[in-house]
């Protein structure tokens, strides 16, 4: 018998006061049938409250202050994964029948996904168990039980969201534990500098090359940067990258070659802009990378300050 | 451009999941793409989530895994080829069978055909029509087993002997189109009748003169026999027997069950005459080509029969007409039968003086001498109920 799920102090499906426009009865009835809300044990009033809460949370996809019309309400509800969203909200509200349905639908997939992510049956089951406990609301924050399911907004599938949560937990766990690794052999990963060349390039030339390369990488667009980082830094295969981007493997290969050619041309251009001749610029590209005083990882991982506000778990 | 690493803030799981599922709007997708391009953590999360999804559900564009218990796939894929291959093999077998059968039949026909008919260099030989080939295919087996020596002798028979062996009526009957070989002395007498001329001329059929024809035939036969060696004579007789047997069997196979015995009486429905058997049967069916285009009733003939200048015809309404002048004038026959007349045909009995001696003529081995037979015609009419009436002159009918 699972423990009692988290219950919020306020009525779970009370319509938020900001919900200006009620949902039409016909639309509510249609969405009720499409979502199979009856299987989750929700009454029509509870279902209506969930929809109003979902809509008010994002103002039906409109800018703040805009009063949605009925058509905009219907379009918004059809643009999200409403069945998953209703189930997640019902679970977050502590509906027992919704939890039973959730377990029936997602318990085994969660375990399998966790095993696939961790690569270990034990670690996978442990990871899935910890996430299940977290979803069930056993954790408290600021004196209040928090259920991560309430943050699900229905933009992707609930299964995909759960897999991403599992991957997040696993990556954060590895990053935390990686920092705790003992430095048994600090020189094991030491990459010695290249031997002195016969005709060493001047420090000024290397500095120009560093700057040209840094600028060229900074001019690359997001997709090219992702391709270069995934292929050369993460060591991902073309097939793995293709599956993430949902394109064909050959497309990734073609884009990757195009990104490298473009990067080379930009570096050459930057070198010539810095005053080097064409021949000198091409010779500079043949410099030993170990002589360069640049951190490609740092350059590729630099990103613009985006709108993401989620802080990585420490 | 700010190149300060922003590793502390990341897209939430919702955005990463929607990014992997291509569910983000373009603007937000570009933001997430720009982030994960520089964020190893988020890239790793996306990769791991994608790998987990691949483990749990095969992508639609991936090939389906092959079952482990599946037998040899290469052979299995060829299993479907057996159906058209078997059909093709059956078709080839049928084609080969059909190809060999006409050749065999042609060979058999050639065995039963006089040499002059088979001479390829003869300008008078006409190819056998397809309908006649099919009829020739009905020849019995014994006809196909002509003795080789006889064929060899007939090949060596001198041409002038063949020419002289045939009675004058034979050559005249064919209008020079073919000559009878030395193997046909006994067939010649029937050809002496005027019916033979119907092969080339239907307009003026001569009156039959059996006595003259028989006498001439006997003389020619004696000369032919004297000119041939004993062996050639035996071969000629054997060939003659085969030809007679072929004609007999052919007629017998077409004889209706309610008619007289096929060995003694030959039925030759008008308009369906075998050219190979024409020399032998010429005396039986007179104007076998003379089919009137229109009868006095204005209708086309449904069935006709002719014995020399005596012709009978049934029109499409079932009315029987008789003509005694080789089709020039037609007279309707009063109705003496029941039902609707649908077919009229000619029955011939081989008799010398009224008595039926057809058996002796057909099978000379049974002791019959060279008595020249005289054919006597009997018309038979069949109505739509299958009942038959017979008549000697075509005017007075009696139910059989």
């Amino acid at each position: 018998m699972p423990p009692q799920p988290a219950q919020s102090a306020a009525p779970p499906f009370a319509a938020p006061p900001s919900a200006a426009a009620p949902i039409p009865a016909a639309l509510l009835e249609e969405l009720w049938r499409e979502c199979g809300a009856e299987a989750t044990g929700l009454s029509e009033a509870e279902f209506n409250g969930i929809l109003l809460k979902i809509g008010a949370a994002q103002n039906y996809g409109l800018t703040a202050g805009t009063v949605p019309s009925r058509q905009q309400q219907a379009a918004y509800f059809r643009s999200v994964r409403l069945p998953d969203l209703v189930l997640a909200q019902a679970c977050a509200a502590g509906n027992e029948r919704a939890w039973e349905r959730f377990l029936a639908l997602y318990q085994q997939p969660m375990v399998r996904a966790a095993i696939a992510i961790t690569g270990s049956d034990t670690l996978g089951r442990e990871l899935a168990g910890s996430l299940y406990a977290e979803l069930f609301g056993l954790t408290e924050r600021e004196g209040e039980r928090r259920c991560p399911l309430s943050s699900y907004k229905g933009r992707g599938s609930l299964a995909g969201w759960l897999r991403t949560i599992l991957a997040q937990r696993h990556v954060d766990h590895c990053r935390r534990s990686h920092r705790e690794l003992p430095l048994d052999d600090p020189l094991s990963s030491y990459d010695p500098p290249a031997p002195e060349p016969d005709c060493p390039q001047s420090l000024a030339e290397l500095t120009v090359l560093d700057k040209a390369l840094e600028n060229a990488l900074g001019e690359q667009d997001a997709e090219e940067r992702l391709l270069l980082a995934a292929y050369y830094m993460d060591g991902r295969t073309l097939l793995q990258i293709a599956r993430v981007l949902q394109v064909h493997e050959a497309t990734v290969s073609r884009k990757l070659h195009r990104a490298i050619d473009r990067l080379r041309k930009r570096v050459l251009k930057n070198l010539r802009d810095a005053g080097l001749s064409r021949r000198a610029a091409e010779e500079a590209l043949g410099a030993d990378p170990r002589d360069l005083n640049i951190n490609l990882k740092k350059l590729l991982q630099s990103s613009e300050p985006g709108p993401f506000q989620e802080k990585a778990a420490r | 451009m700010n190149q300060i690493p922003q590793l502390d803030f990341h897209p939430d799981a919702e955005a990463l999941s929607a990014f992997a599922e291509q569910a983000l709007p373009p603007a937000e997708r570009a933001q997430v793409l720009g982030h994960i391009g520089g964020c190893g953590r988020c890239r790793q999360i996306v990769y791991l989530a994608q790998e987990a999804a691949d483990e749990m559900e095969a992508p639609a564009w991936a090939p389906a895994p092959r079952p482990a218990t599946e037998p040899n796939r290469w052979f299995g894929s060829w299993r479907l080829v057996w159906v058209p291959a078997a059909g093709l093999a059956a078709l080839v077998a049928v084609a080969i069978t059909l190809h060999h059968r006409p050749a065999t039949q042609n060979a058999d026909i050639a065995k039963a055909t006089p040499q002059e008919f088979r001479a390829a260099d003869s300008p008078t030989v006409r190819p056998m029509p397809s309908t006649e080939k099919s009829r020739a295919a009905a020849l019995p087996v014994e006809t196909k087993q002509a003795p080789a020596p006889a064929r060899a002798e007939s090949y060596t028979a001198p041409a002038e002997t063949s020419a002289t062996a045939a009675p004058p009526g034979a050559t005249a009957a064919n209008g020079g189109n073919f000559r009878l070989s030395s193997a046909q002395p006994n067939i010649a007498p029937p050809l002496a009748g005027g019916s033979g001329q119907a092969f080339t001329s239907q307009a003026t059929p001569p009156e039959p003169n059996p006595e003259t024809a028989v006498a001439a035939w006997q003389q020619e036969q004696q000369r032919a026999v004297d000119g041939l060696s004993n062996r050639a004579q035996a071969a000629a007789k054997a060939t003659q027997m085969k030809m007679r047997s072929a004609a007999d069997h052919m007629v017998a196979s077409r004889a209706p069950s309610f008619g007289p015995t096929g060995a003694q009486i030959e039925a030759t429905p008008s308009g369906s005459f075998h050219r190979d058997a024409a020399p032998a049967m010429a005396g039986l069916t007179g104007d076998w080509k003379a089919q009137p285009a229109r009868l006095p009733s204005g209708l086309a003939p449904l069935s006709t029969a002719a014995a020399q200048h005596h012709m009978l015809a049934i029109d499409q309404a079932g009315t029987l007409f008789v003509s005694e002048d080789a089709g020039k004038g037609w007279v309707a026959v009063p109705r003496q039968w029941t039902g609707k007349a649908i077919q009229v045909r000619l029955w011939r009995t081989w008799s010398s003086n009224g008595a039926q001696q057809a058996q002796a003529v057909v099978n000379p081995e049974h002791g019959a001498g060279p008595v020249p037979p005289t054919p006597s015609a009997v018309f038979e009419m069949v109505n739509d109920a299958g009942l038959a009436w017979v008549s000697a002159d075509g005017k007075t009918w009696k139910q059989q």
Side-chain angles (χ1 to χ4, degrees):
Chain A
M1 180 70 182
Q4 190 67 19
Q7 296 279 356
S8 57
F13 303 115
S18 61
I23 300 174
L27 177 61
L28 189 66
E29 177 67 21
E30 189 177 352
L31 295 176
W32 168 272
R33 288 196 307 270
E34 290 179 1
C35 293
E38 192 173 1
T40 60
L42 294 174
S43 64
E44 289 191 10
E46 290 172 335
F47 183 70
N48 187 24
I50 288 177
L51 293 185
L52 289 175
K53 183 181 176 182
I54 292 170
Q58 301 185 17
N59 196 24
Y60 299 95
L62 304 174
T63 57
T66 305
V67 178
S69 63
R70 294 184 177 182
Q71 288 78 12
Q72 289 172 330
Q73 284 182 326
Y76 172 75
F77 285 128
R78 298 191 190 289
S79 67
V80 297
R81 304 232 181 192
L82 198 56
D84 289 350
L85 188 53
V86 168
L87 178 62
Q89 293 296 329
C91 289
N95 187 292
E96 288 190 11
R97 285 193 61 183
W99 272 108
E100 291 173 1
R101 182 171 175 80
F102 178 84
L103 291 177
L105 290 177
Y106 298 109
Q107 188 179 29
Q108 289 304 318
M110 275 176 60
V111 173
R112 291 203 306 270
I115 293 173
I117 288 171
T118 60
S120 165
D121 186 80
T122 305
L123 291 178
R125 293 185 183 278
E126 184 181 347
L127 177 62
S130 63
L131 178 61
Y132 176 71
E134 188 178 351
L135 293 176
F136 206 69
L138 295 183
T139 58
E140 292 185 1
R141 185 175 292 180
E142 297 174 358
E144 187 178 346
R145 285 182 176 179
R146 301 292 300 270
C147 179
L149 282 172
S150 60
S151 65
Y152 174 67
K153 300 181 184 63
R155 300 162 77 185
S157 67
L158 184 56
W161 182 81
L162 290 171
R163 287 194 296 266
T164 307
I165 292 283
L166 288 170
Q168 270 187 341
R169 300 292 187 271
H170 177 66
V171 169
D172 290 343
H173 173 76
C174 289
R175 288 163 66 92
R176 279 198 306 268
S177 58
H178 179 70
R179 292 182 179 178
E180 297 169 358
L181 285 178
L183 300 177
D184 295 334
D185 185 7
L187 299 179
S188 60
S189 59
Y190 175 69
D191 192 7
E196 289 293 328
D198 297 338
C199 50
Q201 293 172 300
S202 65
L203 184 60
E205 287 181 355
L206 290 177
T207 305
V208 170
L209 182 58
D210 291 346
K211 190 66 177 176
L213 187 56
E214 185 177 341
N215 290 337
L217 287 173
E219 292 172 359
Q220 282 195 305
D221 59 17
E223 191 179 44
E224 288 182 346
R225 186 179 298 180
L226 171 63
L227 292 174
L228 292 174
Y231 191 75
Y232 289 106
M233 290 179 58
D234 300 340
R236 301 289 176 181
T237 63
L238 294 177
L239 181 61
Q240 288 175 320
I241 301 171
R243 286 182 178 177
V244 168
L245 298 178
Q246 294 195 359
V247 294
H248 196 270
E249 194 176 348
T251 305
V252 175
S253 175
R254 189 171 58 251
K255 287 184 176 181
L256 193 58
H257 281 91
R258 198 177 301 160
I260 294 171
D261 290 342
R262 202 170 297 168
L263 179 64
R264 180 185 176 85
K265 290 178 181 175
R266 283 177 187 151
V267 171
L268 284 175
K269 180 177 180 296
N270 291 339
L271 289 174
R272 295 189 67 180
D273 290 345
L276 271 67
S277 65
R278 181 181 180 86
R279 182 176 180 181
E282 290 182 352
E283 287 179 353
L285 282 181
D288 195 322
R290 290 171 293 184
D291 294 336
L292 299 177
N293 187 22
I294 60 173
N295 188 346
L296 279 178
K297 184 176 180 180
K298 181 181 176 182
L299 288 174
L300 287 175
Q301 283 187 344
S302 63
S303 61
E304 297 180 10
F308 313 115
Q309 299 300 322
E310 182 179 274
K311 197 168 184 177
R314 295 292 184 184
Chain B
M1 177 180 159
N2 189 350
Q3 295 183 355
I4 300 173
Q6 302 287 329
L7 301 179
D8 286 342
F9 297 96
H10 304 276
D12 57 3
E14 176 93 14
L16 293 178
S17 169
F19 171 80
E21 294 179 353
Q22 305 280 336
L24 288 178
E28 194 171 355
R29 176 176 174 80
Q31 289 179 350
V32 175
L33 192 65
H35 175 84
I36 65 174
C39 178
R41 170 190 177 265
C42 290
R43 279 202 307 272
Q44 196 172 5
I45 290 172
V46 172
Y47 289 137
L48 287 175
Q50 186 66 38
E51 288 173 4
D54 293 341
E55 289 283 335
M56 294 169 62
E57 53 193 46
W61 43 268
R66 183 182 301 179
T69 58
E70 187 178 359
N72 189 344
R73 190 175 180 82
W74 183 87
F75 181 77
S77 62
W78 279 90
R79 217 178 303 165
L80 295 176
V81 182
W82 287 112
V83 178
L88 190 61
L91 199 63
V92 169
V94 170
I96 291 175
T97 305
L98 292 178
H99 176 74
H100 280 273
R101 179 176 294 176
T104 307
Q105 291 168 353
N106 288 340
D108 296 336
I109 293 168
K111 291 174 185 176
T113 305
Q115 292 307 304
E116 284 73 17
F117 280 81
R118 301 178 58 190
D121 54 353
S122 174
T124 60
V125 173
R126 292 192 300 170
M128 179 187 294
S130 59
T131 55
E132 296 174 358
K133 288 182 181 179
S134 62
R135 288 170 183 165
L139 292 176
V141 176
E142 51 269 10
T143 304
K144 299 175 183 178
Q145 295 173 348
R151 287 165 51 203
E153 289 302 328
S154 64
Y155 273 111
T156 56
E160 59 271 14
T161 305
S162 300
T164 55
T171 52
N174 298 288
N177 284 343
F178 63 87
R179 296 175 301 168
L180 289 178
S181 70
S182 59
Q184 299 173 315
N186 288 341
I187 304 178
L191 296 176
S195 61
Q197 293 184 354
F199 274 88
T200 54
S201 174
Q202 306 292 334
T204 56
E207 287 294 324
N209 191 354
E211 291 79 9
T212 306
V214 167
W217 170 75
Q218 287 176 340
Q219 294 174 3
E220 294 297 331
Q221 186 191 36
Q222 187 62 35
R223 288 166 53 194
V225 168
D226 294 341
L228 292 174
S229 64
N230 293 335
R231 190 176 177 186
Q233 185 178 9
K237 285 186 177 181
T239 307
Q240 174 201 1
M241 287 170 51
K242 294 300 177 184
M243 290 188 62
R244 173 66 66 183
S245 177
D248 191 20
H249 276 283
M250 180 187 70
V251 173
S253 63
R254 294 164 58 187
S257 59
F258 49 80
T261 57
Q264 297 178 344
I265 300 178
E266 297 175 4
T268 56
S270 175
S272 58
F273 201 80
H274 197 294
R275 185 164 297 279
D276 284 353
M281 306 294 288
L284 306 181
T285 61
D287 300 334
W288 60 279
K289 278 186 177 178
Q291 287 195 15
R294 294 288 175 188
L295 292 171
S297 61
L299 301 175
L302 182 65
S303 176
T304 60
Q308 299 174 3
H309 60 280
H310 211 96
M311 295 185 66
L312 292 178
I314 298 176
D315 66 0
Q316 310 239 349
T319 307
L320 177 66
F321 294 90
V322 60
S323 172
E324 297 180 347
D325 51 359
K328 292 180 180 178
W330 292 90
V331 177
V333 178
R335 189 180 181 87
Q336 306 164 35
W337 54 87
T338 60
K340 178 183 177 183
I342 59 172
Q343 187 180 19
V344 62
R345 51 192 169 191
L346 179 66
W347 292 92
R348 285 282 183 178
T349 60
W350 291 80
S351 61
S352 56
N353 49 4
Q356 292 190 350
Q357 297 180 2
Q359 187 69 27
V361 174
V362 172
N363 297 322
E365 295 176 353
H366 293 176
V371 178
T374 302
S376 61
V378 174
F379 291 106
E380 184 188 61
M381 183 193 61
V382 181
N383 69 351
D384 53 358
L387 300 177
W389 281 260
V390 293
S391 173
D393 55 357
K395 296 178 179 177
T396 305
W397 293 86
K398 182 192 296 183
Q399 187 169 7
Q400 189 175 11

